[in-house]
Amino acid sequence: MKFAPAASIAAALLLALSCGAAHAKDQIADPFDRADASFSRYPLNLPSTPQAIGRLTNGDVCDDDNGFSCEWQDDAGVVHIFSGDILAIKAVDVGAATPSLSALGIGTARTRNDVLTKVRAFLPEIKIDCLEPGQAGEGEGVASCGGSFENGGWIKLLFDANNRLKSARIDAFQMN
């Protein structure tokens, strides 16, 4: 019986671990679908039953007819916004009680540089650009970074004045 040298074993282990990570990311080839699935299991651009997602967060009764979008939050804290019966937007606010985000592969990263590194690795096909506070139009001291998909959807990340992640969202289309 012949044993492999320690370096060969370490290389094989590293290859197995890295291929597993790459394989998990590559399971969904389309970047929009990959990003969508990273937020929640409810697919954007398709009819869905909001009540199946979770609880209504903006009032006791949902009344989209008056121009106010109803927001439904799942158990993971992701808010789902509909246009009629079509799921249009998914968003998650990041707070101290949010230890890890599956959205966009962010994980535990919270600083702007770390978050952008994670998102760019998760979506290498998408160009991510940023607007600094004052340009972003998101409020005092808030920077915005995002990118667009070929299907017309986009992602947006908001960062506070300390360059810490405030929120992440994905939009399937422009709601009016």
Side-chain angles (χ1 to χ4, degrees), residues 146-169:
S148 299
F149 298 95
E150 287 183 9
N151 70 352
W154 66 91
I155 57 170
K156 182 187 284 189
L157 305 163
L158 297 181
F159 296 90
D160 67 17
N162 296 316
N163 279 320
R164 304 232 4 122
L165 183 64
K166 289 179 50 135
S167 67
R169 88 185 247 167

Side-chain angles (χ1 to χ4, degrees), residues 32-53:
F32 177 80
D33 291 341
R34 185 180 332 124
D36 178 12
S38 76
F39 278 84
S40 78
R41 63 186 175 104
Y42 305 99
L44 291 166
N45 271 333
L46 292 176
S48 187
T49 304
Q51 296 82 355
I53 291 171

